[in-house]
Amino acid sequence: MSQSCPFNVTSNVPQLSAVLRSLTPLIMMNCQIMGSYPEDKSSHVYQQFYPKYDFIVVGAGSAGSTIASRLSEIPAWKVLLIEAGTDPPLNSDIPLLNPSLLRTSYDWNYHTEVTGDTCLAFLNNQCNWPRGKALGGSSSINFLIAIRGNPKDYDYWESLGNPGWGYKHVLKYFKKLERLRVPKYEDKVAHGYSGDVFVEEFTNKTVYNITEANNYIFNFTTQFGYKVVEDMNAHYQAGITLLPGTLRNNVRWNTAKAYLQPAKDRRNLVVMKGTTVTKILINNQKRAYGVEVYKDGKYKKIYCRKEIIVSAGTVNSPQLLMLSGIGPRDHLTTFNIKVKQNLCVGCNLRDHLSVLNYFVKVKLQSYKVNLDISYILKKYFKSRTDLGTGFDINTFFNTSGYTSDHPNIQVFHIVLPHSTSVESIYSQITLFKPNIGIQIPKFIGNAAQFQMAPVLLKPKSKGRILLNSKNPFEYPRIISGYLTEREDVYALIEALRILNAMFQTEAFKKYGTMTSLSVEACSILVQFSDEYYECIVRHFGASAYHPGGTCKMGPPQDPDAVVSPKLKVYGIKGLRVADASIMPQLTSGNLNIPTIMIGEKAADMIKKYWRR
């Protein structure tokens, strides 16, 4: 644990920052909540402490932290891990407060480009795309949900020409990473109990009686026909479940804590923080031999002997490859970038689209107290029971039939207790247009609610990441591609119809009433018609923060493939990509655990190759 217990808090909600600072004495008494992160050893690099490294890992996120730690287990190998961000702040550790980190310095704060037919309810007709900029990457700012996806997801990857990526092959890595501490999930065939990533249940005891709310959601959902699934990460996915989280003793357990904390004293692991990798150095023989970095106003070249592993994420990994001359020829020549390898980098962008429209007003006794954020946090620091995130109850189904165990829809049941603080945080992160945002107080500030947000898990629509310029500090273009395939539109229309049918059940009406955000463009249409639902989807459809696919893994004959099944970049020696960008298709659920699995498998493949 951190000996100095430094106090560091950043929030996009001013009153929340003030409350946290007012609780400094209480927080200092709870030093165990603070993460223990490796120190910044940039000075060692600049002083040529190691003239060369065996491996350079770009990005200390969910995959990068995993890979750097695993490679440094070999004492003879010198490993450099480079991260653009710094240590996560204190409020990152508190589950309920993770939205307060969005649109701060710990978030890259990306936005999609305007298309004119999606993200229409949000400011500037753009969808917000948070990506973590800190040790642990997005695992330091996400909603902590620990879900693997469906076994059929990985079998599909393998069927596309990626041997070794079927579920029977990746299961051992899910078990390797996992330290499960949920007694009811005892299943040694499906789970791991000694890994680095702690997985626990959300208890939610501090805020209100979550059990009463969950029982209500379970009741009307099961009466509608969905079954309760105790362990969605074991054998069966379709149904309603309480999902576990990446928690240790009710505190966020990001990948920096999981993998870098145990390795922080290894002399062969060097971590550079606050450092931007601007280019991969590639020689005339098409071998990657180092990187160019920028830190403290200076550029520097750092060299490596064996490999560079790019784990910078779905947006930054393709940007870095293209800046280095690896990408679509026509696109790179537009910016006078010398083409080292013509590959479809940035293509195949996929994201889970979530529709943020339906709210449910709940008539439950435990919801009627207006919860003060200062009171909530005092109880948390004293009792150490977690605050939850409100996202841990999910339903999965397939719009083509209830019996299918390969869902195409995930429904977030986002619990929003009666609280002006919750209202403020929600408004800050959704970034609705003023005419939409003004409706929020009647949903959250005046009554307890939960939101039912269907998420499209298997998008056919594809977008692209493109450069804006040769400047590595200028954000790339994010062309989401949302709803460009009619099949996606129809799937979300059907999902909204299913939810509306659920709202008509007696079990639902007993304790809840459905309300929804409105926009004039949709209200003038025939209610519940296909045109009406499509209007809702195009206005209120927003990113579920699960992008992937921009450095697609595939066989050599796949025109969109960037990396091989060994994650080696085609045509370039000594270079791999390992993060969510390699996914050929997104997994059925949140992407953090699958991305850690990719890191574990990548590290094993690299070890096997170089220890031959």
Side-chain angles (χ1 to χ4, degrees), residues 370-544:
N370 192 332
L371 297 165
D372 175 72
I373 195 70
S374 180
Y375 168 77
I376 293 171
L377 291 173
K378 284 178 182 178
K379 286 198 69 177
Y380 174 73
F381 287 120
K382 288 179 180 178
S383 66
R384 291 296 304 283
T385 51
D386 79 85
L387 296 176
T389 65
F391 277 76
D392 55 310
I393 182 168
N394 278 206
T395 302
F396 291 80
F397 61 82
N398 195 302
T399 53
S400 63
Y402 296 170
T403 58
S404 172
D405 187 37
H406 199 186
N408 66 338
I409 297 293
Q410 175 180 8
V411 180
F412 294 145
H413 303 273
I414 308 168
V415 179
L416 301 166
H418 182 194
S419 169
T420 52
S421 300
V422 172
E423 172 201 335
S424 179
I425 292 173
Y426 184 87
S427 298
Q428 288 277 348
I429 66 173
T430 52
L431 298 179
F432 282 120
K433 289 178 177 177
N435 64 317
I436 306 294
I438 200 172
Q439 302 174 45
I440 298 298
K442 77 175 182 180
F443 292 121
I444 304 175
N446 297 331
Q449 306 278 337
F450 64 86
Q451 191 170 21
M452 292 183 70
V455 181
L456 182 66
L457 294 177
K458 297 298 170 192
K460 304 295 183 184
S461 303
K462 295 189 288 187
R464 291 193 71 173
I465 301 292
L466 294 171
L467 296 178
N468 253 316
S469 74
K470 292 176 67 172
N471 182 356
F473 300 100
E474 184 172 355
Y475 280 6
R477 299 169 59 194
I478 301 175
I479 303 170
S480 69
Y482 293 145
L483 307 177
T484 51
E485 297 289 339
R486 292 300 299 174
E487 190 173 338
D488 292 348
V489 178
Y490 295 142
L492 283 171
I493 287 175
E494 185 60 25
L496 293 178
R497 289 192 187 282
I498 290 171
L499 292 188
N500 263 320
M502 198 178 291
F503 299 149
Q504 306 310 312
T505 62
E506 290 303 316
F508 175 84
K509 292 179 179 179
K510 185 175 181 180
Y511 292 110
T513 56
M514 189 277 287
T515 55
S516 61
L517 296 172
S518 63
V519 62
E520 184 178 358
C522 302
S523 61
I524 62 175
L525 300 173
V526 176
Q527 195 172 24
F528 308 136
S529 65
D530 282 0
E531 292 79 12
Y532 170 80
Y533 281 124
E534 180 169 352
C535 182
I536 293 295
V537 168
R538 292 194 179 276
H539 276 77
F540 294 97
S543 175

Side-chain angles (χ1 to χ4, degrees), residues 59-274:
S62 294
S65 293
T66 305
I67 293 167
S69 176
R70 291 299 188 205
L71 295 182
S72 68
E73 291 173 344
I74 311 299
W77 290 351
K78 300 180 177 69
V79 180
L80 174 65
L81 175 62
I82 306 174
E83 168 56 41
T86 56
D87 295 349
L90 170 74
N91 44 315
S92 169
D93 286 348
I94 306 170
L96 183 68
L97 300 186
N98 66 300
S100 68
L101 292 166
L102 307 185
R103 299 193 300 111
T104 69
S105 60
Y106 300 95
D107 173 12
W108 284 94
N109 193 25
Y110 290 123
H111 294 83
T112 60
E113 285 204 347
V114 176
T115 65
D117 60 3
T118 56
C119 306
L120 299 178
F122 304 94
L123 286 176
N124 305 316
N125 293 346
Q126 294 176 292
C127 278
N128 189 30
W129 266 36
R131 296 287 86 202
K133 189 179 183 182
L135 291 186
S138 293
S139 76
S140 293
I141 69 169
N142 69 1
F143 288 87
L144 295 85
I145 297 300
I147 185 168
R148 297 174 179 177
N150 195 289
K152 295 182 178 68
D153 297 334
Y154 304 99
D155 292 341
Y156 178 68
W157 290 8
E158 189 166 48
S159 74
L160 294 176
N162 298 298
W165 288 90
Y167 188 69
K168 66 180 180 182
H169 302 291
V170 301
L171 175 60
K172 70 175 182 179
Y173 295 108
F174 283 124
K175 295 173 69 173
K176 181 179 182 180
L177 69 89
E178 185 178 49
R179 183 171 298 193
L180 185 66
R181 302 209 296 191
V182 183
K184 67 180 182 181
Y185 288 176
E186 287 290 340
D187 185 336
K188 290 182 170 56
V189 174
H191 289 293
Y193 298 88
S194 58
D196 295 282
V197 180
F198 282 81
V199 176
E200 298 179 350
E201 283 187 290
F202 294 95
T203 57
N204 293 291
K205 294 176 182 177
T206 307
V207 181
Y208 51 86
N209 185 4
I210 189 69
T211 301
E212 186 179 8
N214 284 348
N215 284 345
Y216 168 59
I217 297 171
F218 270 78
N219 190 31
F220 74 74
T221 304
T222 53
Q223 286 199 15
F224 187 72
Y226 296 117
K227 69 177 185 179
V228 174
V229 180
E230 285 290 342
D231 184 359
M232 196 164 285
N233 286 325
H235 308 290
Y236 196 85
Q237 190 179 21
I240 185 168
T241 190
L242 278 170
L243 291 169
T246 47
L247 296 161
R248 184 180 186 184
N249 299 326
N250 302 318
V251 175
R252 177 189 294 275
W253 195 247
N254 61 30
T255 53
K257 292 180 186 178
Y259 289 97
L260 299 183
Q261 180 176 295
K264 65 187 179 67
D265 295 325
R266 294 175 190 162
R267 298 190 60 177
N268 65 330
L269 175 62
V270 174
V271 179
M272 292 182 74
K273 305 177 190 178

